[in-house]
Amino acid sequence: AVQIAEEIKRKTPPNALFLNAPTYNSAVVLSGRRSLMRYSGHLSSYGIDYEPRENEVKRIYEGSGLAAGLLKKNAIEYVLISPEETSNLRVDPAYFERFTKIAEAGAYRVYKVN
């Protein structure tokens, strides 16, 4: 995760918005970049209704018919696919191959989607 976090820092602007699995240890967190949704456990502890956004995250990673519209709606610029995403979500890697891969390290890939 540290290696891809360094790549993210090097290849994306500081205010870039990422889509990543809502886990507490994402490489996006290590990079200091913004994330559409962070760890749901933290959000729920503050009483934040995170389920609608979590459902959108899932639909995007699935590559559903709603994915393109949700990427645009949420102004997502980059998508991280890593072991956290593939372990916690249903990810359709073929959907993301249409986008430019800007970084890769081991099982980690970053796509520019906007």
Side-chain angles (χ1 to χ4, degrees), residues 101-112:
K101 186 183 339 172
I102 64 151
E104 183 173 7
Y108 295 79
R109 287 163 186 65
V110 177
Y111 295 91
K112 181 166 179 39

Side-chain angles (χ1 to χ4, degrees), residues 4-5 7-21 26-29 31-38 53 57 60-61 71 74-81 85 102-103 109-113:
I4 198 69
E7 287 290 308
I8 289 170
K9 281 194 233 180
R10 207 166 49 80
K11 296 183 176 181
T12 65
N15 64 342
L17 180 61
F18 274 77
L19 180 71
N20 59 279
S26 173
V28 174
V29 174
S31 74
R33 299 305 187 256
R34 297 181 308 141
S35 176
L36 181 68
M37 184 176 169
R38 295 277 172 99
R53 184 164 285 187
V57 168
I60 295 168
Y61 274 111
L71 286 168
N74 291 293
I76 297 165
E77 299 168 274
Y78 299 92
V79 173
L80 173 65
I81 298 179
E85 285 73 30
I102 64 151
R109 287 163 186 65
V110 177
Y111 295 91
K112 181 166 179 39
V113 296

